[in-house]
Amino acid sequence: MRVSTKLVRFALPVAALALPLAAQAQVTKIKSNPQALILDAADVKAGTDMIFVSGQLASPVDPAKPMSEVKSIEDLGDTKAQTISVLGKIKALIEKQGYTMADLVKLTLFVASDPRLGKMDFVGANEGFKQFFGTAENPTTVARSTFQVAALVGPYYLIEIEAIAAKKKK
């Protein structure tokens, strides 16, 4: 098989141009209102490392209690407590992969109605969210969508969260 010298002369300079682009990969967080709880958007450039975290659910309030013994919402906590639990699990998961909470660019929240309130507890979810974003430890925030759902996988779960983190390649 013969390779055209014209192709090589064209392909090599194009490939050389792509290398600096990969080295400059970045994530830009876009926030038009500095007081807003969430971002307007996150611009993730090509060549950026990313991790996609599957939906996570809360753990029992009592860490010694196995999931098989969860018999009520009180065992998992209200929406705020469950949000803190889930974000804590996401934090631990991404940190094991070399990411931080500041690297999160997108969260998707699925929130079920709290039967004690008769509705979704959006305020509780936001209160839990504030424990991880806009803090001294992590002054950043993320782009976020929240959906009210009829139910989650178990009867006592009030929130499930998916996450996407992105950071510059090393």
Side-chain angles (χ1 to χ4, degrees):
M1 172 183 223
R2 185 171 176 207
V3 177
S4 164
T5 56
K6 287 182 185 177
L7 178 61
V8 171
R9 276 187 269 162
F10 173 75
L12 289 177
V14 170
L17 288 173
L19 290 175
L21 293 177
Q24 295 173 4
Q26 66 180 1
V27 177
T28 303
K29 294 184 174 187
I30 303 162
K31 187 173 180 182
S32 59
N33 177 355
Q35 305 306 315
L37 187 58
I38 61 175
L39 295 177
D40 295 327
D43 184 7
V44 180
K45 300 294 185 197
T48 304
D49 286 336
M50 296 178 72
I51 185 169
F52 295 78
V53 180
S54 295
Q56 301 294 308
L57 296 163
S59 296
V61 174
D62 176 358
K65 183 175 248 180
M67 286 303 298
S68 60
E69 293 182 20
V70 170
K71 305 293 183 210
S72 71
I73 288 178
E74 285 71 26
D75 291 331
L76 295 174
D78 61 11
T79 301
K80 177 181 177 182
Q82 288 194 30
T83 301
I84 293 168
S85 174
V86 173
L87 289 172
K89 287 171 85 173
I90 290 170
K91 180 179 181 187
L93 196 154
I94 66 173
E95 284 179 350
K96 285 181 186 174
Q97 302 303 315
Y99 292 81
T100 68
M101 292 299 274
D103 295 321
L104 287 172
V105 293
K106 176 70 167 89
L107 294 177
T108 304
L109 285 61
F110 303 95
V111 186
S113 290
D114 183 333
R116 299 166 299 183
L117 301 175
K119 64 180 183 172
M120 165 179 82
D121 184 7
F122 187 68
V123 171
N126 277 338
E127 288 302 311
F129 182 85
K130 289 176 188 177
Q131 306 298 308
F132 293 85
F133 301 96
T135 66
E137 181 184 343
N138 177 23
T140 70
T141 192
V142 300
R144 189 180 87 182
S145 299
T146 304
F147 298 91
Q148 182 172 3
V149 296
L152 293 167
V153 70
Y156 311 119
Y157 291 112
L158 299 175
I159 190 163
E160 180 174 343
I161 303 175
E162 296 176 345
I164 301 171
K167 66 180 182 171
K168 227 177 184 178
K169 280 189 184 278
K170 290 185 180 186

